[in-house]
Amino acid sequence: MNPVVLYDSDRFVVIHIVKNDAAVGAALFFGKPLPIPEHVFEIVDKQQEREVCLFGPWAAVFAAQTKEWQEELPEPETVERVLDGYAQLAQLPLKLH
């Protein structure tokens, strides 16, 4: 997996994880390969200590949003508002060990 930090602010960090061939061979569960999504986005709300991982259709929607942001740079408040909406999907607090 190749993680890339797409966004990092005082409140949020967004990480984009892209599957690579090495990850496919390494992800085993009882000797059988695990299905690994092509793209995963991890959104961490640092203040609320919550995280949400987006994959499948959710990742596709978020990827389109990030592409739009690359074409037309939004205000930071707009980005934070969108990320807050996604962070609301998280039900359990993030615990750091």
Side-chain angles (χ1 to χ4, degrees):
M1 304 298 240
N2 296 326
V4 176
V5 176
L6 297 180
Y7 182 80
D8 193 1
S9 70
D10 290 340
R11 179 157 181 211
F12 291 102
V13 63
V14 177
I15 300 168
H16 182 205
I17 303 166
V18 180
K19 177 174 78 171
N20 61 23
D21 292 336
V24 174
L28 297 175
F29 184 71
F30 291 106
K32 297 182 181 178
L34 287 173
I36 299 174
E38 287 292 324
H39 297 277
V40 176
F41 292 93
E42 182 178 14
I43 301 170
V44 178
D45 183 336
K46 298 174 187 178
Q47 292 177 356
Q48 300 294 320
E49 297 180 341
R50 295 185 296 189
E51 73 171 331
V52 64
C53 290
L54 307 174
F55 54 92
W58 282 101
V61 169
F62 191 74
Q65 178 71 68
T66 59
K67 184 177 182 199
E68 184 179 309
W69 286 343
Q70 290 172 353
E71 294 169 1
E72 187 174 324
L73 191 64
E75 294 294 322
E77 296 81 16
T78 301
V79 174
E80 298 274 321
R81 188 170 45 252
V82 170
L83 294 177
D84 186 54
Y86 280 102
Q88 297 301 317
L89 297 170
Q91 298 295 316
L92 300 174
L94 174 67
K95 298 294 182 194
L96 300 176
H97 300 276

